[in-house]
């Protein structure tokens, strides 16, 4: 059983910062890509930021220059540092990982953590 556990969401004023964490646990052999997605009410889930096992990153245009994704491979953990937050960043943020167990390749999602940015 593999799971992703997120933490760090909450309520923050516009212009503030939050740091999300997501730790993968279970029978993991290796993790390829990890990423953060978000879904606001009435919207589809969208990619916020992704990072490969080698550290290459990509970002949604709406968060470039404000958000930073990083990972600690030794801890199977991915982070999302969010600065200069805007009310339109309000959403449920989901962690995603594509990984190998001993027997198969999986795509796993976290349970989501709510980020609310007040104006």
């Amino acid at each position: 059983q593999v799971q992703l556990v997120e933490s760090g969401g909450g309520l923050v004023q516009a212009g503030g910062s939050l740091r999300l964490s997501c730790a993968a646990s279970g029978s993991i052999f290796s993790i390829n890509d990890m990423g953060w997605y978000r879904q606001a009410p009435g919207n589809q889930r969208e990619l916020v930021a992704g990072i490969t096992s080698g550290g290459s990153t990509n970002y949604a245009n709406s968060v470039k220059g404000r958000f930073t994704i990083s990972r600690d491979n030794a801890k199977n953990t991915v982070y999302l540092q969010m600065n200069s937050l805007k009310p339109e960043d309000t959403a449920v943020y989901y962690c995603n990982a594509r990984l190998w167990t001993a027997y198969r390749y999986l795509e796993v999602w976290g349970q989501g953590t709510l980020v609310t940015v007040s104006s």
Side-chain angles (χ1 to χ4, degrees):
Q1 185 79 10
V2 176
Q3 62 176 354
L4 303 180
V5 178
E6 298 137 339
S7 60
L11 174 64
V12 64
Q13 287 189 330
S17 299
L18 282 175
R19 188 189 194 214
L20 305 182
S21 299
C22 171
S25 63
S27 300
I28 298 169
F29 180 73
S30 65
I31 302 178
N32 289 355
D33 299 339
M34 301 186 82
W36 290 95
Y37 291 70
R38 67 186 180 187
Q39 187 167 17
N43 290 356
Q44 290 188 331
R45 190 173 297 188
E46 61 175 0
L47 175 68
V48 176
I51 185 167
T52 68
S53 57
S56 296
T57 59
N58 63 288
Y59 296 92
N61 288 335
S62 59
V63 307
K64 282 182 181 177
R66 300 188 297 122
F67 291 10
T68 302
I69 189 171
S70 61
R71 65 191 281 176
D72 184 333
N73 290 331
K75 296 181 179 180
N76 287 341
T77 299
V78 63
Y79 307 95
L80 186 68
Q81 177 66 44
M82 304 185 294
N83 299 329
S84 302
L85 282 160
K86 304 175 181 179
E88 50 263 44
D89 295 318
T90 295
V92 177
Y93 284 70
Y94 296 91
C95 176
N96 173 275
R98 299 181 177 100
L99 54 88
W100 284 97
T101 67
Y103 303 104
R104 56 181 175 160
Y105 189 70
L106 298 175
E107 181 174 24
V108 185
W109 291 90
Q111 80 284 359
T113 186
L114 178 62
V115 172
T116 303
V117 184
S118 62
S119 57

